[in-house]
């Protein structure tokens, strides 16, 4: 799939030689350790002697997120077990842990002191000291942070979030920070503690639209600007998604539909931020569904694609596994799992030109005595430990992308200390017209404005690339080649370059030249039906492929940097946006005969996925979100609610779509309907049962203004020239023994042109000459 020159691959995957001990439970922790295994680490998963894959809805994600690992079983609450664990950790590079299954002896703090080479990766649920009281299911995080108030739905009230993007986000964040810590360890020999949470994983997606200020920003009203991003039913009953966000896309769509005389284009590069007049909006709201209902979906998809407008079919379940582009990319892997049989799974999202990949095989049981790790010597450091620097201090990234996904990945690298230079055209980034979105993806970046179509402008870019460690962008393949910023061109300038590329559909294949916009690709892979609930028309989730691909791209960069540091070569890394969307569906699998496993679990009312992981309405018209993960908790729940628990022996009997499960759900509905929400929560918490009252409205301002969250660094508050102080989502990972991030606003267009050009060797006279030639601005 790569457009990179074909050269012999360096032996081994990016994390070859890295040893990981996986102590995690839930979904986010195993997924993080699974990503490390996918990209080459030797991961040993430790489970208790009675551990099992659990036939309670976790069997499929267990299979996916533990593939490629070796599994050992022993008890940690015995002296012998703790000694075995310590032996493993002494010879490991990384330990992945969650608050739901902690290391009791030694504690994590003792580990860092006793094993200073070890990177301790901790993934909590909420990231503050009340995890056990709040519970360990992702649904409680969405209820707490406000996702359920923002998720589009088909009824009033909170909507259960059917796509586990918070766990996916936490896993990505954890692995990005872990690999960055391993990269830093090569310099000074010190392992570090990195920590994130499922709540942080949710914020990674929510931050795209979250912002607050003393002088409020205009409210975001979907459909009020010159952007069409909607689903439409066609005459054959199929549903297509249409997005006009590309430069000139709105005008082309209006021309195609015969509406250009009624709704004119502004002609601006930042057209997505230009408001519609009320009569124009009314026309689009009424006429667009009528027009698309006149022809079948295949006709519309061809017309739209031929007009260079982003349009895709909204698919169900995992039908996308059969798509020719997905087959071309090799996005699906087949694993013979000992518990659930042969299944097709979403494969790793990154591809490397200079590194091989680990085989995609099921988790395998081994005896602890068969773990043949040789004693690990402390890494030899080339420089003393300096805790005054940020984690990625000294790394420079040049970002050539556009819109959200690419720059957001670069922004995550900036949050870890990289210097990110954002190269913009003189017209500016298309998202500059959307203040919150632009700030989320560009906070802390430095902007230079260069005319890449001029010879002198390209000369400036080449010198910048020569001084960079990585380049990151998301242009379409033809555009990158046309501008001369493809991998072949830029690696000729700097052969040590890590070139991270995030095309929408991949650099080659039948869809390679087509446009890609969020959230359409999430709909294409089945996510819009997954969050809609059984039998319902599709709606889009609050988390989508844009922030997911930003995280995937950031992961590609740090893996490329680590591989370069250990193998001495730069390389091409590809992370198609469709892979980010598929990653959000990775908890679902399919048998070769087409049977989908673990998909479509959300009920028709969008209340939940089981009687024990569900929203319930109370007598005072409030709601509670209940998340019970064990039979013991289920027994306590029925005691608190004074209902009878059927005589069952497994969770499967309770949460399956059976008479037992239906009866339990009906009983809980009736009991909650007679009680006040606050009373139910108090009783459940007293009994140790996880439950939360969901946030009832858009939570951005309240969360970002919370002094506690500002103190934690999740909310950042900085001065703004016209809005007083603005607040936005800040640090989503914490790391020991490094300086905290230096928070800055998004840059003005070309704000840092002079400073950056000075750093790469241009003197003042040369910079003035380049300005006079209109090669650069700013």
């Amino acid at each position: 799939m790569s457009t990179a020159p074909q050269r012999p691959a360096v032996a081994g995957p990016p994390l070859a030689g890295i040893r990981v001990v996986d102590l995690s439970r839930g979904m986010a922790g195993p997924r993080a350790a699974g990503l490390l295994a996918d990209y080459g680490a030797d991961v040993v998963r430790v489970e208790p002697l009675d551990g099992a894959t659990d036939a309670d809805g976790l069997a499929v994600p267990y299979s996916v997120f533990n593939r490629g690992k070796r599994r050992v079983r022993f008890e940690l609450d015995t002296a012998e077990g703790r000694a075995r664990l310590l032996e493993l950790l002494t010879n490991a590079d990384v330990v992945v842990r969650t608050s739901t299954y902690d290391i009791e002896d030694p504690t994590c703090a003792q580990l860092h002191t006793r094993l200073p080479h070890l990177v301790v990766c901790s993934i909590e649920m909420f990231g503050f000291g009340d995890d056990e009281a709040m519970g360990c299911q992702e649904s409680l995080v969405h209820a707490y942070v406000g996702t359920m108030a923002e998720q589009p739905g088909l009824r009033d009230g909170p909507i259960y979030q059917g796509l586990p993007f918070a766990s996916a986000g936490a896993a990505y964040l954890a692995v990005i920070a872990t690999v960055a810590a391993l990269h830093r360890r090569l310099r000074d020999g010190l392992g570090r503690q990195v920590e994130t949470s499922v709540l942080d994983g949710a914020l990674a997606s929510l931050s795209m639209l979250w912002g607050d200020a003393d002088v409020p920003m205009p409210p975001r009203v979907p459909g009020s600007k010159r952007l069409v991003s909607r689903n439409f039913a066609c005459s054959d009953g199929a549903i297509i998604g249409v997005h006009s966000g590309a430069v000139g896309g709105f005008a082309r769509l209006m021309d195609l539909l015969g509406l250009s005389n009624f709704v004119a284009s502004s002609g601006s590069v930042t057209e997505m931020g230009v408001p519609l007049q009320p009569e124009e909006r009314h026309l689009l709201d009424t006429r667009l569904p009528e027009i698309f209902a006149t022809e079948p979906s295949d006709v519309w998809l061809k017309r739209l694609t031929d007009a260079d407008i982003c349009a895709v079919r909204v698919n169900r379940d995992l039908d996308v596994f059969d798509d020719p582009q997905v087959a071309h990319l090799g996005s699906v892997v087949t694993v013979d799992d000992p518990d659930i049989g042969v299944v097709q799974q979403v494969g790793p999202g990154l591809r490397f030109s200079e590194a091989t990949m680990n085989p995609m095989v099921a988790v395998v049981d081994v005896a602890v005595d068969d773990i043949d790790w040789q004693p690990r010597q402390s890494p030899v450091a080339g420089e003393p430990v300096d805790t005054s620097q940020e984690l990625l201090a000294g790394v420079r990234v040049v970002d050539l992308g556009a819109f959200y996904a690419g720059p957001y990945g670069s922004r995550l690298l900036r949050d870890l200390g990289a210097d990110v230079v954002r190269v913009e055209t003189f017209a500016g980034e298309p998202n500059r017209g959307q203040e919150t979105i632009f700030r989320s993806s560009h906070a802390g970046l430095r902007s230079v404005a260069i005319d890449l179509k001029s010879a002198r402008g390209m000369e400036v870019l080449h010198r910048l690339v020569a001084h960079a460690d990585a380049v990151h962008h998301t242009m379409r393949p033809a555009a990158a080649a046309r501008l001369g910023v493809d991998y072949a061109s830029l690696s000729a300038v700097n052969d040590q370059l890590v070139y991270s590329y995030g095309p929408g559909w991949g650099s080659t294949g039948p869809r390679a030249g087509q446009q890609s916009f969020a959230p359409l690709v999430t709909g294409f892979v089945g996510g819009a039906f997954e969050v809609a609930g059984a039998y319902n028309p599709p709606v889009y989730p609050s988390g989508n492929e844009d922030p997911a691909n930003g995280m995937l791209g950031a992961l590609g960069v740090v893996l490329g940097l680590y591989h370069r540091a250990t193998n001495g070569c730069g390389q091409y890394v590809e992370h198609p946006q469709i892979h980010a969307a598929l990653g959000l569906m990775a908890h679902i699998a399919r048998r070769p005969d087409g049977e989908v496993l673990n998909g479509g679990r959300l009920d028709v009312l969008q209340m939940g996925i089981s009687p024990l992981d569900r929203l319930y309405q109370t007598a005072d018209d409030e709601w509670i979100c209940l998340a019970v993960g064990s039979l013991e908790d289920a027994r306590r729940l029925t005691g608190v609610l004074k209902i009878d628990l059927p005589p069952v022996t497994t969770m499967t009997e309770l949460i399956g779509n059976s008479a037992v499960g239906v009866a339990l759900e009906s009983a809980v509905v009736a009991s909650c309907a007679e009680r006040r929400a606050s009373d139910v929560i108090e009783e459940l918490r007293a009994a140790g049962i996880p439950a939360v009252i969901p946030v009832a409205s858009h939570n951005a301002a309240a969360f970002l203004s919370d002094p506690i969250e500002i103190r934690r660094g999740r909310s950042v508050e900085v001065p703004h020239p016209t809005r007083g102080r603005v607040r936005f989502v800040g640090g989503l990972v914490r790391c020991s023994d490094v300086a905290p991030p230096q928070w800055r606003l998004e840059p003005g267009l070309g704000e840092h042109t002079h400073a950056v050009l000075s750093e790469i060797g241009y003197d003042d006279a040369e910079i003035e000459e380049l300005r006079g030639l209109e090669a650069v601005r700013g």
Side-chain angles (χ1 to χ4, degrees), residues 57-226:
L58 294 178
V60 173
Y62 185 99
S63 171
V64 176
F65 302 141
N66 289 301
R67 69 186 176 210
K69 301 177 186 178
R70 294 188 287 172
R71 180 172 57 199
V72 298
R73 299 185 189 275
F74 56 84
E75 299 298 342
L76 293 180
D77 58 358
T78 66
E80 180 183 4
R82 289 194 292 269
R84 289 189 170 196
L85 174 61
L86 184 59
E87 182 180 359
L88 282 175
L89 294 174
T90 300
N91 298 316
D93 300 285
V94 177
V95 58
V96 179
R97 59 169 292 273
T98 55
S99 60
T100 54
Y101 193 65
D102 208 341
I103 307 167
E104 295 184 7
D105 184 17
T107 66
C108 283
Q110 292 171 325
L111 275 179
H112 190 50
T113 302
R114 191 169 185 174
L115 304 173
H117 73 282
L118 187 67
V119 175
V120 179
C121 173
S122 298
I123 305 176
E124 311 292 334
M125 285 305 297
F126 293 86
F128 47 82
D130 200 21
D131 287 354
E132 295 301 321
M134 296 284 279
C136 61
Q137 300 295 324
E138 173 164 343
S139 55
L140 298 183
V141 169
H142 287 302
Y144 171 84
V145 77
T147 309
M148 292 182 178
E150 298 184 26
Q151 172 59 45
L154 304 166
R155 59 169 175 79
D156 294 332
I159 302 296
Y160 187 98
Q161 177 52 245
L163 207 60
F165 65 81
S167 290
Y172 280 135
L173 293 169
V175 177
I176 292 166
T178 295
V179 178
L182 289 170
H183 182 262
R184 179 67 173 269
R185 192 182 71 167
L186 293 172
R187 288 169 46 187
D188 59 22
L190 180 66
R192 286 167 168 85
Q193 298 181 82
V194 298
E195 184 266 329
T196 189
S197 70
V198 178
L199 176 57
D200 290 293
L203 290 171
S205 286
L206 297 175
S207 66
M208 184 177 182
L209 299 175
W210 271 29
D212 185 45
D214 294 344
V215 179
M217 292 165 280
R220 181 179 178 272
V221 182
S224 64
K225 297 184 179 179
R226 281 169 163 72

Side-chain angles (χ1 to χ4, degrees), residues 558-574:
V558 293
L559 283 169
L561 292 172
Y562 182 82
H563 192 260
R564 183 184 70 176
T566 54
N567 288 274
C569 66
Q571 66 179 306
Y572 173 98
V573 186
E574 187 167 316

